[in-house]
Amino acid sequence: MNAGVIKRAARASRGALLVLTLLAAVPHTRASDPVMLNFANAEIDLVVRAIGQISGKNFLVDPRVKGTLNIASVKPVSPELAYQILVSSLRMQGYAVVEGRGVVKVLPEADAKQHFSRTFGKTVGVGGDQVVTQVYPLAHANAAQLVPVLRPLIAPNNAISAYPAANTLVITDYADNLKRISEIIAAIDKPNEAEFNVIRVQHVSAIELAQQLMRLFAEPGAAGPTTPTAMTIAADTRGNSLLVRTDSPWRLATLRELVAQLDVPTTGGGHLQVVHLRNADATKLAETLRALAAAETQASSTPAAASGAVTPPAGAGGVSILADAPTNSLVIRAPDHVYNSLRAVIERLDTRRAQVFVEALIVEVTSDKAAEFGIQWQGPLVQRTGDFALVGGTNFNTGLTPGTGNNILALATASKLPNTGLNLALLQKFTLNGKSYEGLTALARALEQDADANILSTPNLLTLDNEEAKIVIGKNVPFITGSYSQATGATGAAVNPFQTIERKDVGLTLKVKPQVSEGGNVKLVIQQEVSSVSESTQQGIITNKRAIETTVLVRDGEAIVLGGLIQDDARQGMDKVPGLGNLPLLGGLFRAETRKRTKTNLMVFLRPVVVRDSDALSRVTQDRYDYINQAHASLPARAHWLLGDARHPALPNLKLDRMLAPPPARDAEPAAAATAAPDKRAQAAEGPAMGWLD
């Protein structure tokens, strides 16, 4: 017979025997009577059905729950204990029991946390291996920090999470394990009496002492105080005290002993200290500190002077402050109490100053349209040989380009070229007093001008708070301010002639001095000028100038309009012969007309952006580079049949991560240099490095 058939028959016989045994035993037992359990390789669904009849519970078995159980009791057990034995046996097979709403669900352990289960607070009211949920609010510990600590203690298929808003843990696991975890949480969630401490310092500066102690108590190889025994030390400048936060009582005791040994008065009534500044200017800050030290010394010496005591001064009341510009440092010699006050002031003033990136937009749109038409004529009207001649005509000297080049008499008698436009002239030969003459007898001129200009300038400036910045884009034009020549000798030649010249910037000039307030407003003192060379005359050069000088208040990042010019200039002129010039048709032979209209729109906009850290500076830099790169890519590139392609060279890629990266640590320089030696040799063979421009 087949072995598989034999196994199935044996399993069926064992299951049938078990069912018969239970059916025979259950009618003779009550719900509270103990029972004997003896299941040998019994199918899980049959065992669950039997325990359900014993305990009176309703079971719902997932179809994925398969396998056999071996349960045997030495002595009779209660129905509740029989139920707990079944739950533990199922857990050993990888199945979980979720009890709730009148039914007990048997399903794979990985899916148990997604089903309805009983929920408890800090105290779990049930036991055993059934899956329940606990919501544990914490009073002192941090819920997010406890999650990685408790995660290894929870079954891999069950869940633990933190709700930071309420500082609460939510755990789904077996009831007995949750009781153990609750005891662990209760032991951790306790206030730390030694967490915050204040240590007063009498003689030394709390700022310098805090810096020294932080370096001394720093964890080896740690970037910050992240370990449980780490210590944080800060200085309180108002009371010259140390603020200490630590979770280790022995570290706090060690710190107190060390502070007591260091907090001793200096010998000689004063000490010499060198303070290296990070942001402030040492020369300017020294002047402020001298004035402050003089005022404080005078105030402290007033009672002594009134009592008749005399203290020999050393410098300004025993205080001397020197600035070392090459190292941007302060050298201070002062008594302890004066130095501590000065050191607190230095800490407040030596802060990173904000920068302001100013974007200016200057838009000028000009439209110039003009037209000119006129007829001039000259000639003899009545002529009598040898006696007289009557000559008549019209001549006008007006137009868009006034001068002798548009006058018929000037063109006939002098070597002049006609002005721009269409010129039609009639040359006639005539005799006067026996002499033959040639000249212009008629001149017709027509001219139309149309000129448009769109000028867009976007100067940008980056400057420190309360520091003036200036940008000039244009030409340096010479202006003659005087000349001298002296004639001596018989020939009258000039001796030692010279001219005095003053050069001025002509173009775009922008001066800005920003002042940043804490509220986000920026005060700007602005001087903006746009100038250009118009024309040159015998007296000198004529320039066009448009300037704005103003002080404005604007919020960070907002764009404002500073000012501008909107001008519409319309002009019309006519030269004509009275009476004849008014005739409907023939009047055109006796007049010259000009029309000119000029429109000018000039506006100046400005937008300041406060840059407070290196990240904001890198964003501004990258934004400006991307803008100029896009403008460069949009330039037209046309190919020539003879010269070839005229593409513009690509701009280098801006590497801000290289430019803003901090320098390597000094301890790592020798190893880094040895490691990078082969790369440097290869780089030298290829060519020089581009730095942050790749």
Side-chain angles (χ1 to χ4, degrees):
M1 184 180 293
N2 193 351
V5 176
I6 296 176
K7 291 181 179 180
R8 285 195 298 272
R11 188 182 303 111
S13 62
R14 288 195 299 269
L17 179 62
L18 175 63
V19 172
L20 292 176
T21 303
L22 291 174
L23 293 177
V26 169
H28 301 285
T29 61
R30 294 174 299 178
S32 59
D33 293 340
V35 294
M36 291 290 295
L37 300 179
N38 187 10
F39 299 98
N41 294 327
E43 296 291 339
I44 291 179
D45 56 347
L46 296 177
V47 177
V48 169
R49 187 183 308 172
I51 298 298
Q53 293 181 356
I54 295 173
S55 62
K57 296 181 181 294
N58 300 319
F59 285 88
L60 182 62
V61 182
D62 190 283
R64 294 171 293 176
V65 177
K66 302 292 183 181
T68 59
L69 295 177
N70 292 301
I71 302 175
S73 61
V74 180
K75 57 182 180 179
V77 297
S78 64
E80 181 63 26
L81 182 57
Y83 170 71
Q84 296 296 334
I85 293 174
L86 172 64
V87 172
S88 300
S89 301
L90 291 173
R91 179 180 177 183
M92 296 176 62
Q93 297 291 330
Y95 303 117
V97 173
V98 179
E99 183 177 351
R101 296 181 180 179
V103 67
V104 179
K105 291 181 287 186
V106 182
L107 66 163
E109 185 184 56
D111 298 339
K113 59 180 176 291
Q114 300 176 357
H115 289 260
F116 172 82
S117 61
R118 300 179 63 182
T119 304
F120 301 92
K122 288 187 176 182
T123 302
V124 179
V126 297
D129 289 331
Q130 59 178 308
V131 175
V132 297
T133 300
Q134 182 183 24
V135 180
Y136 199 112
L138 301 177
H140 306 284
N142 188 294
Q145 294 179 354
L146 279 183
V147 170
V149 177
L150 301 177
R151 176 71 263 184
L153 305 178
I154 299 174
N157 291 324
N158 292 331
I160 177 174
S161 59
Y163 180 56
N167 197 31
T168 302
L169 290 173
V170 180
I171 310 173
T172 300
D173 201 10
Y174 298 103
D176 285 344
N177 192 38
L178 283 180
K179 291 183 177 180
R180 180 185 63 143
I181 292 176
S182 298
E183 296 178 357
I184 297 174
I185 296 175
I188 296 176
D189 189 26
K190 292 182 178 180
N192 189 355
E193 298 179 356
E195 187 172 2
F196 296 99
N197 297 272
V198 179
I199 303 177
R200 300 192 179 277
V201 181
Q202 297 181 357
H203 304 287
V204 298
S205 172
I207 299 174
E208 296 181 351
L209 188 59
Q211 296 174 355
Q212 296 174 358
L213 294 176
M214 280 298 295
R215 290 193 296 266
L216 182 62
F217 283 88
E219 293 291 333
T226 56
T227 61
T229 58
M231 180 182 296
T232 303
I233 305 173
D236 180 22
T237 57
R238 295 176 299 177
N240 198 39
S241 304
L242 295 177
L243 305 179
V244 184
R245 179 180 180 181
T246 179
D247 296 334
S248 176
W250 68 268
R251 282 188 172 231
L252 180 61
T254 304
L255 178 65
R256 290 184 181 274
E257 294 179 1
L258 186 58
V259 171
Q261 297 176 7
L262 296 176
D263 187 22
V264 294
T266 57
T267 59
H271 58 244
L272 189 66
Q273 292 287 344
V274 177
V275 182
H276 298 281
L277 302 179
R278 300 183 300 271
N279 302 286
D281 183 77
T283 304
K284 296 181 179 179
L285 186 56
E287 298 177 359
T288 303
L289 296 178
R290 291 191 195 103
L292 180 62
E296 184 173 352
T297 304
Q298 182 179 2
S300 61
S301 62
T302 300
S307 61
V310 178
T311 303
V319 179
S320 60
I321 304 174
L322 301 178
D324 183 51
T327 60
N328 196 35
S329 304
L330 294 174
V331 182
I332 304 176
R333 182 179 182 88
D336 293 338
H337 67 284
V338 178
Y339 176 76
N340 294 338
S341 301
L342 295 177
R343 191 64 179 85
V345 174
I346 294 173
E347 188 69 16
R348 291 179 177 270
L349 296 181
D350 188 25
T351 57
R352 181 188 178 99
R353 296 170 61 185
Q355 301 182 90
V356 180
F357 179 73
V358 180
E359 293 180 277
L361 177 62
I362 304 171
V363 182
E364 182 176 1
V365 180
T366 303
S367 177
D368 193 348
K369 298 181 182 299
E372 177 184 356
F373 182 78
I375 297 176
Q376 305 176 50
W377 53 272
Q378 293 287 331
L381 299 179
V382 179
Q383 180 180 357
R384 183 173 180 178
T385 305
D387 292 333
F388 62 90
L390 179 61
V391 180
T394 61
N395 62 296
F396 307 121
N397 196 26
T398 60
L400 301 178
T401 54
T404 58
N406 61 356
N407 184 272
I408 187 172
L409 294 180
L411 293 175
T413 58
S415 299
K416 297 292 184 180
L417 295 177
N419 284 343
T420 57
L422 177 62
N423 295 272
L424 297 177
L426 178 61
L427 183 63
Q428 181 181 2
K429 180 183 294 185
F430 60 94
T431 303
L432 182 61
N433 294 330
K435 295 183 179 180
S436 178
Y437 295 93
E438 292 182 359
L440 293 176
T441 58
L443 174 65
R445 297 192 66 254
L447 174 63
E448 183 176 352
Q449 291 182 346
D450 189 354
D452 296 326
N454 186 0
I455 302 175
L456 175 65
S457 301
T458 56
N460 298 330
L461 279 175
L462 179 65
T463 181
L464 281 175
D465 182 21
N466 278 323
E467 295 291 341
E468 183 181 279
K470 176 181 178 182
I471 182 172
V472 178
I473 304 173
K475 299 180 180 180
N476 193 256
V477 180
F479 291 85
I480 300 176
T481 58
S483 61
Y484 176 77
S485 61
Q486 182 179 5
T488 59
T491 60
V495 180
N496 296 328
F498 66 89
Q499 290 181 336
T500 57
I501 296 176
E502 180 183 2
R503 290 187 172 272
K504 296 183 180 181
D505 295 329
V506 175
L508 174 64
T509 303
L510 177 63
K511 292 183 181 180
V512 178
K513 184 177 182 180
Q515 182 179 355
V516 182
S517 63
E518 292 297 331
N521 294 328
V522 183
K523 179 183 177 182
L524 297 172
V525 180
I526 304 167
Q527 296 181 6
Q528 188 270 330
E529 177 182 319
V530 178
S531 58
S532 60
V533 176
S534 176
E535 57 181 317
S536 299
T537 63
Q538 295 180 353
Q539 290 76 21
I541 300 176
I542 300 176
T543 59
N544 298 324
K545 179 179 178 181
R546 296 172 293 275
I548 295 176
E549 294 186 11
T550 182
T551 302
V552 297
L553 188 66
V554 60
R555 290 191 62 83
D556 177 20
E558 288 186 350
I560 60 171
V561 57
L562 294 182
L565 171 67
I566 301 177
Q567 182 180 5
D568 191 351
D569 186 4
R571 298 183 181 184
Q572 182 174 356
M574 179 183 294
D575 288 354
K576 64 181 180 178
V577 177
L580 297 178
N582 297 328
L583 296 177
L585 296 177
L586 298 178
L589 301 176
F590 301 95
R591 65 173 178 260
E593 298 182 55
T594 59
R595 292 185 179 90
K596 184 175 183 180
R597 185 170 186 177
T598 303
K599 289 185 177 181
T600 302
N601 296 329
L602 172 65
M603 284 293 169
V604 179
F605 301 88
L606 188 138
R607 177 176 176 264
V609 178
V610 179
V611 180
R612 299 187 182 274
D613 51 23
S614 58
D615 294 336
L617 180 61
S618 63
R619 289 193 298 270
V620 170
T621 305
Q622 188 67 57
D623 177 73
R624 291 292 87 191
Y625 177 79
D626 293 341
Y627 172 79
I628 195 65
N629 202 8
Q630 294 176 3
H632 180 271
S634 63
L635 292 176
R638 300 178 180 177
H640 192 269
W641 65 274
L642 180 60
L643 302 179
D645 197 357
R647 295 179 181 177
H648 301 280
L651 292 178
N653 187 18
L654 184 61
K655 298 295 184 180
L656 286 178
D657 52 349
R658 299 183 185 177
M659 181 176 64
L660 301 178
R666 292 186 177 181
D667 297 339
E669 285 180 358
T675 306
D679 297 337
K680 290 183 178 180
R681 288 193 298 268
Q683 187 182 64
E686 296 176 0
M690 292 296 292
W692 54 273
L693 286 176
D694 189 8

